[in-house]
Amino acid sequence: MAEEKKKVKAPKLADPIASSIDVASQEMIARSHELGIETIFDRALTMKQCAIGVQGTCCKNCSMGPCRLPLPKAGIEGEDTRKGLCGATANTIAARNFIRMIAGGAAAHSDHGRCVAEVFLSAARKETEAYQIKDFDKLIEVAKYLGVATTVEVDGEELDRDLDEVALETAEVALGEWGKAEGEVLSVKKAPEARYELWKKMGVIPRNIDREIVEIMHRTHMGVDQDYKNLMKQGTRAAIADGWGGSMLATDLQDILFGTPYPVQSEANLGVMKEDHVNIVIHGHEPVLSEMIIAVAQKQEMLDYANKKGAAGIQLSGICCTANEMLQRHGVPLCGTFLQQELAIITGAVDAMVVDIQCIMQNIANVAKCFHTKLITTHPIAKMEQENVIHIEFDEHHAIEDAERIVKMAIDNYENRGSEVMIPQHKAPLVAGFAVESTEYHLGGSFRGTYYTLNDNIINGRIRGVAGVVGCNNARTKHNRDHIAICKELIKNDVIVLTTGCTAIACAMEGLLMPEAAATHAGAGLAEVCETVGIPPILHLGSCVDNSRILLAATEVVKAGGLGNDISDLPAAGSAPEWMSEKAISIGHYFVSSGVYTVFSNLPTTGAPVFNDYICKEFEELYGGMWGAEQDPIKHAHLMIAHIDKKRKELGIDKARDRVMMDFAARQAL
Ligand code: BF8
């Protein structure tokens, strides 16, 4: 009887308006409640964060723990006597946890890169017809930095080497970067010379990509490295192996295979799905999968098959970084950010969601159960336990057949849709695809494609500085709020923004990736430059592995001259306002190690104030870059702007000055 009387508590439901700034997402969160489907927004209310874990001071690296070392409410007065069972201090524990996050992030980016390198090798060996080299200029560029000969001497004459040979050797050397026995990661030399020399002096040049990740796991094992500075030295080496190694190779090899992005127009948000079309949403990270699905979905026989099944066509769209990859090379629309993956299925219009690796929430399988949606995993390292998930393993040797099977499965599923379709009618136009090469072209035109124009406008003060704003969504933060507030504040203050990942999708959904956004949102100086060269004030540079493009853009700015000798001299700053993944920590740390002041909403280091100070203050003296943390978006943007102004002052360009055309008399006076 007592049980009967016990009241069943209604589950807490997220307030749609408080959960997201995006109207389409708000509508779908409300829809999820109507249908009784739980999403991450609801779970964020019921599952509280661990107060010690967020401080970074919980050690679970051996079975005597977890040892939890919360920071006393009153802070630490005098000696910090907190210790784990083995005696590990809060600094050691926080540093171990921090660099394990770097290892996780670097592993994810770099393993993605390795997979692309393997496909590239298959293509170079002509083992697959599905993948072929698209960008030969990029192949030559990559071959050169990997030390592969691109010319051959015949009878005393220097001739171009056979491209098939160049491709094969480049693929073999590239793949070797993950595990070679000797030497150093070759792409690291793409950094400005001063940066490379600094890393050499500090002993943080990565030897190969995998080794630096493995060494983190060793050093953080019970009873190994117990000096937070030494731990961070290895964290730095692994982060460089990611940004200037695994991620950079992923980007470059993808460009060789699938083409280097050039500006394209498209649209963003859940409203890109079409009710009368077969909707296939591709979610994950490796374009190896999505490229094939794009190719197959455009085949006339597939379109005819879709028509036969009663659909007007096939609408592809993307979630997470696959979305950015498909967008920047093909103009395929963005369906949504990380936090919209469940919401996309709740439209009832997704006939198939195809996923590969990273940022895929396990709950999408539970949501898919409530609809007709086929959820298809494709990668051998990323399966799901729920029984409704279909696994079709994607392999470059039969990629077209795999893609055909997937697309056909989606088409066949179209007729199984229920009456519950509700696609929010919200989407925004965008321009994306600003790789280093296309930005150079835009800035300089066809006669002098260079970064001089950007440098000139930074020096004359029209552009105050450059910001890289990147990263995830986080269910603990109102969806997209901080991305948008920070980006708007930066461009309002004449700081041009380079963006990737989910920040890029958020900006697209807000209409900020349109050239017209310059007139409505940017300061007068930045707006003038954007209008003159025809670019948006926020440039979409691709997916998260493409943060390597931001590093290379910064390097081009250094090379163009007038703004110092190193990335740390530039009036530039980085930000990840809504970060959540380990990849974000690795990215943040390779930005910091490259000399960039990088601000996150919060850092998992606050429980160890000495270690926190080390990475947020002392690191600047060592590497010219440091971490910062600020939750309030406007203050966050102004920390970045203050740093940009500090750098302008150091460069002696803090007073706006226009280039003066001097007449003869003025020259004589000089
Ligand atoms: O790699 S920004 S939520 S999608 S981790 Fe994931 Fe974060 Fe989005 Fe792409 Ni990057």
Side-chain angles (χ1 to χ4, degrees):
M1 289 301 280
E3 260 182 22
E4 266 176 37
K5 277 188 188 165
K6 214 168 148 189
K7 274 192 189 158
V8 183
K9 258 193 174 177
K12 277 191 195 168
L13 296 179
D15 172 358
I17 309 287
S19 301
S20 175
I21 63 162
D22 167 49
V23 179
S25 300
Q26 292 168 359
E27 287 178 7
M28 293 320 295
I29 295 167
R31 178 73 173 152
S32 74
H33 297 160
E34 274 168 33
L35 299 173
I37 299 169
E38 180 203 81
T39 67
I40 190 169
F41 298 97
D42 306 315
R43 290 190 295 279
L45 290 184
T46 47
M47 166 79 77
K48 294 280 170 249
Q49 281 183 291
C50 165
I52 303 163
V54 290
Q55 296 181 9
T57 46
C58 171
C59 182
K60 53 180 183 62
N61 294 9
C62 86
S63 77
M64 296 187 289
C67 291
R68 310 188 313 155
L69 274 61
L71 190 67
K73 282 226 167 69
I76 305 280
E77 288 247 357
E79 197 189 341
D80 186 352
T81 55
R82 293 174 298 159
K83 285 184 193 71
L85 254 65
C86 68
T89 64
N91 295 323
T92 302
I93 292 172
R96 279 183 187 153
N97 289 338
F98 196 75
I99 72 169
R100 276 201 171 195
M101 294 186 85
I102 293 176
H109 286 143
S110 299
D111 216 31
H112 164 170
R114 182 204 322 269
C115 184
V116 179
E118 284 170 347
V119 173
F120 176 38
L121 182 61
S122 293
R125 285 181 177 157
K126 305 208 183 291
E127 291 171 358
T128 166
E129 287 201 349
Y131 299 98
Q132 279 164 13
I133 291 165
K134 269 214 183 118
D135 189 337
F136 286 96
D137 290 342
K138 196 77 177 227
L139 169 66
I140 296 297
E141 188 194 317
V142 174
K144 283 183 179 161
Y145 80 66
L146 291 179
V148 174
T150 56
T151 56
V152 58
E153 207 184 291
V154 179
D155 300 332
E157 210 185 327
E158 191 90 340
L159 299 177
D160 285 342
R161 195 176 166 200
D162 176 68
L163 283 173
D164 284 348
E165 269 179 43
V166 174
L168 187 57
E169 200 178 323
T170 303
E172 285 166 351
V173 175
L175 204 47
E177 291 297 277
W178 273 264
K180 63 189 180 187
E182 291 179 328
E184 57 190 39
V185 173
L186 296 165
S187 43
V188 169
K189 274 234 158 121
K190 289 176 89 177
E193 207 183 325
R195 181 67 17 193
Y196 176 82
E197 291 303 327
L198 174 67
W199 288 336
K200 201 157 190 154
K201 193 180 104 197
M202 303 298 283
V204 293
I205 303 268
R207 295 154 290 185
N208 69 48
I209 297 163
D210 287 349
R211 179 171 180 175
E212 307 312 348
I213 296 162
V214 169
E215 193 168 306
I216 285 185
M217 298 313 286
H218 180 190
R219 286 196 194 206
T220 57
H221 184 276
M222 195 274 149
V224 188
D225 205 347
Q226 295 154 38
D227 170 2
Y228 67 89
K229 291 185 182 174
N230 206 40
L231 285 159
M232 273 314 288
K233 183 178 169 186
Q234 182 56 21
T236 301
R237 185 153 51 176
I240 295 168
D242 175 358
W244 294 88
S247 282
M248 196 166 277
L249 281 166
T251 297
D252 280 347
L253 301 181
Q254 284 170 184
D255 285 354
I256 292 174
L257 281 176
F258 311 129
T260 301
Y262 275 84
V264 286
Q265 286 189 334
S266 191
E267 294 175 322
N269 212 340
L270 297 166
V272 301
M273 284 189 276
K274 293 188 181 135
E275 192 161 351
D276 60 353
H277 280 52
V278 173
N279 288 298
I280 304 177
V281 178
I282 314 181
H283 173 16
H285 283 76
E286 284 179 5
V288 167
L289 165 75
S290 53
E291 284 286 324
M292 286 306 109
I293 294 187
I294 292 169
V296 166
Q298 286 172 353
K299 282 187 176 179
Q300 193 55 49
E301 62 188 87
M302 284 296 165
L303 296 172
D304 291 346
Y305 189 57
N307 293 154
K308 208 172 107 192
K309 292 282 179 173
I314 302 171
Q315 179 63 54
L316 293 182
S317 60
I319 299 254
C320 283
C321 283
T322 285
N324 290 315
E325 298 283 5
M326 297 197 296
L327 168 70
Q328 67 182 346
R329 296 197 179 87
H330 302 279
V332 172
L334 304 168
C335 184
T337 64
F338 168 72
L339 276 185
Q340 289 172 287
Q341 53 190 287
E342 293 165 308
L343 306 183
I345 299 175
I346 291 170
T347 62
V350 179
D351 302 300
M353 182 176 274
V354 192
V355 304
D356 54 25
I357 48 160
Q358 300 170 22
C359 303
I360 295 142
M361 294 200 271
Q362 190 166 352
N363 198 57
I364 56 173
N366 302 329
V367 177
K369 266 185 209 164
C370 308
F371 298 89
H372 76 303
T373 305
K374 299 268 186 218
L375 178 58
I376 305 166
T377 55
T378 57
H379 208 288
I381 69 161
K383 293 187 177 182
M384 288 182 178
E385 67 186 20
Q386 289 97 321
E387 71 286 350
N388 61 320
V389 181
I390 302 157
H391 187 73
I392 299 179
E393 201 144 306
F394 207 75
D395 184 303
E396 69 265 26
H397 299 98
H398 40 78
I400 292 284
E401 293 85 336
D402 296 336
E404 279 173 353
R405 216 176 129 201
I406 290 168
V407 173
K408 244 177 146 214
M409 191 176 277
I411 296 171
D412 285 334
N413 199 28
Y414 176 75
E415 62 193 13
N416 297 327
R417 271 196 207 167
S419 54
E420 69 274 20
V421 172
M422 185 191 132
I423 302 173
Q425 296 303 301
H426 304 284
K427 58 182 178 180
L430 66 94
V431 177
F434 291 91
V436 174
E437 296 81 350
S438 57
T439 307
E440 188 167 301
Y441 169 76
H442 257 275
L443 290 169
S446 51
F447 293 111
R448 50 163 214 149
T450 73
Y451 276 70
Y452 293 133
T453 318
L454 178 62
N455 285 31
D456 278 353
N457 281 296
I458 293 174
I459 292 165
N460 69 29
R462 282 195 185 88
I463 296 178
R464 193 162 174 176
V466 183
V469 187
V470 306
C472 323
N473 282 141
N474 185 322
R476 305 288 175 189
T477 309
K478 188 171 186 173
H479 173 230
N480 286 357
R481 179 195 60 196
D482 297 351
H483 289 307
I484 300 308
I486 289 168
C487 288
K488 280 187 177 168
E489 191 64 18
L490 289 168
I491 61 174
K492 188 175 106 185
N493 284 281
D494 293 313
V495 176
I496 190 166
V497 173
L498 313 181
T499 185
T500 62
C502 288
T503 315
I505 303 175
C507 289
M509 287 161 58
E510 195 70 15
L512 296 174
L513 299 190
M514 289 299 286
E516 292 76 12
T520 46
H521 294 289
L526 176 60
E528 188 187 334
V529 176
C530 290
E531 280 160 23
T532 309
V533 296
I535 54 171
I538 300 178
L539 301 180
H540 178 291
L541 270 76
S543 66
C544 279
V545 294
D546 292 331
N547 282 315
S548 60
R549 298 192 201 276
I550 300 184
L551 298 176
L552 293 177
T555 304
E556 289 303 318
V557 172
V558 172
K559 277 197 216 153
L563 292 170
N565 298 320
D566 196 354
I567 295 172
S568 54
D569 296 328
L570 302 177
S575 160
E578 300 180 23
W579 78 279
M580 63 87 200
S581 80
E582 291 170 323
K583 290 183 285 174
I585 291 290
S586 184
I587 293 165
H589 199 61
Y590 70 64
F591 270 91
V592 166
S593 311
S594 302
V596 182
Y597 173 51
T598 304
V599 189
F600 273 33
S601 44
N602 60 310
L603 288 171
T605 53
T606 52
V610 174
F611 173 63
N612 190 69
D613 274 4
Y614 180 61
I615 61 168
C616 293
K617 288 183 187 149
E618 285 174 57
F619 233 75
E620 192 173 37
E621 282 157 36
L622 303 173
Y623 291 95
M626 61 180 174
W627 286 88
E630 177 54 60
Q631 194 82 60
D632 180 275
I634 301 302
K635 285 187 193 158
H636 184 120
H638 280 278
L639 282 177
M640 298 166 74
I641 293 168
H643 179 80
I644 284 169
D645 288 348
K646 183 178 98 177
K647 290 291 167 187
R648 294 189 67 85
K649 197 162 184 198
E650 285 170 11
L651 288 164
I653 55 168
D654 48 328
K655 312 249 179 328
R657 57 189 159 96
D658 256 320
R659 183 173 277 178
V660 182
M661 296 302 287
M662 293 187 128
D663 59 16
F664 187 65
R667 275 176 207 280
Q668 270 193 327
L670 262 181

